[in-house]
Amino acid sequence: MRMRHIVAVGAAATALSLGAALPAFAGDAQPSAERSRTAAAHDASDLGALAAKRKVKIYQDAKYKRRNTIFTENMRNLKKDGWNDTISSAKNLGTCTVTFYQHKNYEGARFSLAKGEKEPHFGDHPHMSDATSSVKFRC
């Protein structure tokens, strides 16, 4: 039992000494690791900026009433998100144009809202009254 303890301590000491030696070699790689972290942070901020550009608030009923949510990405098929054929009004809160399509996969009748535009009643557009099945942003 004591021998196992000594072997374990020796293995740990060896690992620590190797770990202590690694920074000398890793020192050359550290700036690129720092660049990677900076690049990752930059990419994350780009995604945040893109989400801010792509932002539409949709409502279940006309005149911005009842259940609502915000989409920040293209939605190819609203059925799996529980919004298929239920959107009746919307406000474009982003800077990209958002297009609502009658069918999934961006097909069928459609209409768009530019930056800052809103639509209080989708029924004012042919074939779009409670008929939206996909949403796509264009920046």
Side-chain angles (χ1 to χ4, degrees):
M1 180 76 156
R2 182 160 172 84
M3 184 58 118
R4 285 186 196 155
H5 180 68
I6 292 171
V7 169
V9 169
T14 302
L16 286 173
S17 67
L18 286 175
L22 286 177
F25 296 104
D28 295 333
Q30 212 162 11
S32 65
E34 182 64 32
R35 281 192 303 272
S36 295
R37 274 191 295 269
T38 303
H42 182 68
D43 290 344
S45 68
D46 287 348
L47 290 175
L50 184 59
K53 289 180 180 181
R54 295 178 174 186
K55 189 172 185 179
V56 64
K57 188 167 189 176
I58 53 124
Y59 298 83
Q60 181 176 1
D61 286 343
K63 298 183 182 176
Y64 321 110
K65 294 184 180 173
R66 293 203 46 209
R67 185 171 72 124
N68 63 78
T69 193
I70 293 177
F71 292 152
T72 58
E73 60 186 51
N74 294 334
M75 307 295 280
R76 182 175 295 280
N77 186 353
L78 293 174
K79 190 171 189 173
K80 58 186 171 183
D81 296 301
W83 281 97
N84 190 54
D85 296 342
T86 62
I87 301 172
S88 294
S89 56
K91 297 177 182 179
N92 187 351
L93 305 175
T95 58
C96 296
T97 298
V98 60
T99 302
F100 299 89
Y101 293 85
Q102 178 185 17
H103 300 302
K104 67 180 181 176
N105 298 319
Y106 320 119
E107 296 178 357
R110 65 182 176 265
F111 77 93
S112 299
L113 297 176
K115 170 186 171 181
E117 288 186 333
K118 51 189 173 181
E119 177 54 59
H121 186 53
F122 280 28
D124 292 341
H125 299 272
H127 310 290
M128 294 303 294
S129 181
D130 290 333
T132 301
S133 295
S134 55
V135 176
K136 189 172 190 177
F137 292 93
R138 188 179 71 244
C139 299

